[in-house]
Amino acid sequence: QVQLVESGGGLVQAGGSLRLSCVASGRTFSQYAMGWFRRAPGKEREFVAAASASGLRTIHADSVKGRFTISRANAKSTLYLQMNSLKPEDTAVYYCAVDSIPYRTGVTDPAYFTSWGQGTQVTVSS
């Protein structure tokens, strides 16, 4: 079992930036793809971005492409999400999660991810 702890959320004005971090422990971090998801009030959980085990392959949702960048530092067992040009519609609780199968790539369905963190709130004011 892996434990995930997200941080870096907060309140920011539209157009601003935040950097989320997710520290993992309890599993070989470098063997698993990782993802960021978000849930806005009254909405379903939504895929944001994913990075392969090596970090060389990344996927970003169309809604954040060009504004958000996922990356990882395997030596630090840490996943990042750099969020620029934030919009009010980015307001949500952001979660990181681990793919359930090692070395798999290209998965965006949250059903394939396990060991979710507790989430970090991001609020973007207009």
Side-chain angles (χ1 to χ4, degrees):
Q1 188 70 14
V2 63
Q3 292 77 45
L4 303 172
V5 178
E6 301 100 333
S7 62
L11 173 63
V12 64
Q13 289 188 333
S17 298
L18 284 173
R19 189 193 196 198
L20 304 185
S21 299
C22 170
V23 179
S25 61
R27 183 184 289 181
T28 306
F29 181 79
S30 61
Q31 293 181 355
Y32 294 84
M34 299 283 295
W36 285 101
F37 298 81
R38 66 186 181 186
R39 175 172 282 165
K43 294 188 177 182
E44 296 291 320
R45 184 169 47 188
E46 175 188 26
F47 169 78
V48 176
S52 64
S54 67
L56 294 178
R57 294 186 62 184
T58 61
I59 306 171
H60 296 80
D62 288 343
S63 59
V64 306
K65 200 169 293 183
R67 301 187 298 121
F68 292 10
T69 302
I70 189 172
S71 63
R72 61 191 295 166
N74 284 347
K76 297 181 179 180
S77 297
T78 303
L79 180 74
Y80 302 101
L81 185 67
Q82 178 65 44
M83 304 187 296
N84 299 328
S85 302
L86 282 161
K87 304 176 180 179
E89 51 263 43
D90 294 319
T91 295
V93 178
Y94 284 71
Y95 302 89
C96 63
V98 184
D99 195 339
S100 58
I101 295 178
Y103 301 115
R104 181 167 58 184
T105 61
V107 174
T108 62
D109 188 336
Y112 292 103
F113 287 79
T114 185
S115 301
W116 295 79
Q118 83 289 348
T120 185
Q121 176 70 48
V122 171
T123 302
V124 184
S125 63
S126 57

